[in-house]
Amino acid sequence: MARLLSRTMYPDLPIYPERVIQFGEGNFMRAFAAWQLQRMNKQGLFQGSVVMVKPRNGPVSEDFEKQDCLYTVAIDGIAGQKTVREREIITSVSRLISPYSDYEGFLALAEDDNLEFITSNTTESGIAYNPVDTLNDRPPSSFPGKLTALLYRRFRLGKKGFVILPCELIDRNGERLREFVLRYAADWRLGEPFATWLNRENTFCCTLVDRIVAGFPQEQANELERELGYQDRLMVASEPYLLWVIEGPSWLPARLPLAQAGLDVIFTKDLKPYREQKVHLLNGPHTAMASLGLLAGLQTVEEVMKDADFSAFVRRLMDDELLPVLHLPKPELQAYARAVRERFMNPFVRHELASIYLNSISKFTTRLLPVLLRHVQENRKLPRLLTLSFAALLLGYRGDRLERKDSPEVLAVFDEAWQTPDPNLFIRTILKSEVLWGLDLSDIPQLAEALKDDLMQLDQMGCRAVLRQRLGGEITCND
């Protein structure tokens, strides 16, 4: 068996000072943000590393310590009609800290003047406010609570603030994060000087990220081990495509020279058009296909796109229900939609539907619910395929067919609602839950009836049979 990847194998690999705090040690950020820092480092443009912070309680993988936080990003796909196959050992991550086991070590990050950037990806549900959090918690449970505690320590030390670049896929993510930090500052009575420092000395940027990261390439692990000559339990598989759109001040590109390194990074004053296109045309179909595909026994995005029924579903969903309500030039949207479908077909990246299905309620709320509401408002019609995917999501959250992975609050709502044998009561209870959707959906004309019918048919006929029936037609909303 090949040796485990570590610095003992490659003692000459560079070591950089820590300049970035990253909340989240998952696959995406290691193949996205840390990979981009690696590219800047190789060109002598940044010369800094990332210290990762584990945002959730739970065991810390021993592999990070055993591998000295080294890992391989395996990039496979098609770019510019050419096959791309790259393997690179990432040296831009220095260590991993868990605030749950080393809270003082976490707060000590505030003492380092070299640290100037903060990135994060704690999923769409991560940027949230928990009213029970306090400054005395070790640590506060929420990501914004942990960030507030760190920033308060930084403020009390009289040091400069940070450039904060959240990568969670929610609208105006930087503004939302700042809002919650300021709310904690007020609720914890940390004082007006701290609030002033937060606003003046820290830059919260709104961002948009785009890269399909499949995670550990389980099926190719043995082949890659033979190819590379070492064992890597932290390896991450990714597509070549990457886009990072950052809405921030004019001085930021000079301090964070991503574009100078030749990376596909856009610094802009207006994020909105980029966000709408990506969230609704890439992430939206992902979320729509996940529960339907899993209920039909499919496992990956590629399997969905190779399946005649499901590939037709994806195309019709994009062309008939998503594109028409996006307020961007139609040729650009159509070109982007074609490119997305090509990326979905990438034979080199095994993108598991189960990973897309994680925290599906917040993903649906962000990615697809705005489209459904826009259809109702502008066209007075329910989008038929989107409504079917909504029903499949609800069926999956019954928990007897699919494994649910979501917050305890979300699961508690479903567990209670599913106890009723009355499908009408179940639907009304779910649609009224602002915990799930952020608003009451029960007054949307015809939605409850459509979801009830689709749920019953999915349950009785099976996903594929219903999908074949429903690949056409719309439901007219009658007040």
Side-chain angles (χ1 to χ4, degrees), residues 264-449:
D264 290 324
V265 177
I266 297 171
F267 291 92
T268 182
K269 293 294 184 182
D270 184 10
L271 190 73
K272 184 177 180 180
Y274 300 99
R275 183 185 183 279
E276 279 213 339
Q277 178 174 267
K278 191 262 179 176
V279 169
H280 298 318
L281 286 183
L282 186 139
N283 301 108
H286 266 163
T287 297
M289 73 171 70
S291 50
L292 281 166
L294 288 169
L295 287 169
L298 303 178
Q299 295 183 1
T300 69
V301 174
E302 185 185 7
E303 287 180 15
V304 166
M305 298 306 293
K306 286 184 174 179
D307 185 289
D309 297 323
F310 280 85
S311 62
F313 164 77
V314 172
R315 178 179 291 275
R316 290 284 301 276
L317 176 75
M318 296 176 78
D319 291 347
D320 297 350
E321 298 186 357
L322 302 181
L323 266 71
V325 295
L326 296 181
H327 302 153
L328 293 167
K330 190 173 182 180
E332 292 181 22
L333 289 171
Q334 292 172 329
Y336 185 77
R338 287 193 297 270
V340 165
R341 288 194 287 266
E342 290 176 357
R343 293 166 65 190
F344 286 171
M345 288 289 292
N346 186 349
F348 301 107
V349 174
R350 181 177 175 83
H351 199 178
E352 299 279 352
L353 295 179
S355 67
I356 298 171
Y357 189 63
L358 177 68
N359 294 316
S360 276
I361 297 303
S362 62
K363 289 177 179 177
F364 183 89
T365 302
T366 299
R367 303 170 178 184
L368 292 172
L369 183 57
V371 174
L372 187 150
L373 296 176
R374 198 173 293 175
H375 268 282
V376 172
Q377 181 179 5
E378 296 180 4
N379 304 324
R380 298 179 64 80
K381 291 180 179 179
L382 288 174
R384 188 61 165 163
L385 298 179
L386 201 160
T387 304
L388 179 61
S389 71
F390 194 175
L393 175 61
L394 300 183
L395 180 60
Y397 269 64
R398 190 167 66 190
D400 58 343
R401 299 191 182 189
L402 302 180
E403 182 182 3
R404 307 174 304 173
K405 291 185 179 179
D406 216 311
S407 71
E409 295 80 9
V410 166
L411 296 181
V413 172
F414 276 97
D415 288 342
E416 181 177 355
W418 271 117
Q419 289 180 7
T420 176
D422 182 351
N424 292 303
L425 179 58
F426 165 75
I427 292 293
R428 286 198 301 272
T429 301
I430 288 298
L431 291 182
K432 278 183 171 294
S433 176
E434 296 191 19
V435 171
L436 301 180
W437 322 115
L439 70 162
D440 184 344
L441 302 179
S442 63
D443 291 332
I444 297 177
Q446 304 298 316
L447 179 59
E449 189 66 24

Side-chain angles (χ1 to χ4, degrees), residues 8-28:
T8 60
M9 291 184 63
Y10 300 97
D12 296 329
L13 288 174
I15 298 175
Y16 300 103
E18 294 173 348
R19 294 187 61 191
V20 180
I21 300 169
Q22 176 179 296
F23 284 85
E25 79 282 18
N27 294 319
F28 178 79

Side-chain angles (χ1 to χ4, degrees), residues 147-165:
L147 179 59
T148 304
L150 179 68
L151 293 174
Y152 186 58
R153 174 67 67 92
R154 184 85 159 186
F155 162 74
R156 294 187 66 185
L157 292 170
K159 296 184 179 294
K160 64 183 180 180
F162 294 96
V163 175
I164 301 168
L165 301 148

Side-chain angles (χ1 to χ4, degrees), residues 9 23 52 55 78 114 128 172 192 197 208 224 247 276 281 285 297 346 356 416 435:
M9 291 184 63
F23 284 85
M52 299 188 301
I78 309 296
N114 287 321
R172 311 304 299 169
E192 190 60 35
W197 178 86
L208 174 73
L224 286 165
E247 186 180 288
E276 279 213 339
L281 286 183
N346 186 349
I356 298 171
E416 181 177 355
V435 171

Side-chain angles (χ1 to χ4, degrees), residues 179-193:
E179 171 191 334
F180 289 135
V181 169
L182 287 168
R183 187 173 173 184
Y184 278 120
D187 288 354
W188 295 350
R189 299 181 180 179
L190 302 183
E192 190 60 35

Side-chain angles (χ1 to χ4, degrees), residues 94-227:
S94 61
R95 57 192 170 118
L96 171 61
I97 293 177
S98 172
Y100 294 90
S101 59
D102 185 11
Y103 189 55
E104 285 304 318
F106 164 66
L107 291 181
L109 295 174
E111 301 170 7
D112 189 344
D113 290 321
N114 287 321
L115 288 166
E116 55 180 319
F117 298 95
I118 294 177
T119 61
S120 67
N121 189 4
T122 56
T123 77
E124 284 91 334
S125 61
I127 298 183
Y129 182 82
N130 187 342
V132 304
D133 279 347
T134 73
L135 185 62
N136 294 325
D137 293 337
R138 301 176 65 85
S141 64
S142 71
F143 158 49
K146 294 180 183 71
L147 179 59
T148 304
L150 179 68
L151 293 174
Y152 186 58
R153 174 67 67 92
R154 184 85 159 186
F155 162 74
R156 294 187 66 185
L157 292 170
K159 296 184 179 294
K160 64 183 180 180
F162 294 96
V163 175
I164 301 168
L165 301 148
C167 296
E168 290 82 359
L169 198 64
I170 63 172
D171 193 18
R172 311 304 299 169
N173 49 18
E175 292 176 1
R176 290 286 300 280
L177 182 56
R178 179 176 57 193
E179 171 191 334
F180 289 135
V181 169
L182 287 168
R183 187 173 173 184
Y184 278 120
D187 288 354
W188 295 350
R189 299 181 180 179
L190 302 183
E192 190 60 35
F194 175 55
T196 300
W197 178 86
L198 280 172
N199 286 315
R200 289 183 180 176
E201 300 298 325
N202 296 272
T203 303
F204 288 79
C205 299
C206 294
T207 77
L208 174 73
V209 298
D210 190 354
R211 184 173 229 185
I212 296 173
V213 176
F216 184 78
Q218 187 66 52
E219 293 192 347
Q220 293 80 36
N222 293 334
E223 176 187 340
L224 286 165
E225 183 178 320
R226 289 192 296 270
E227 174 188 336

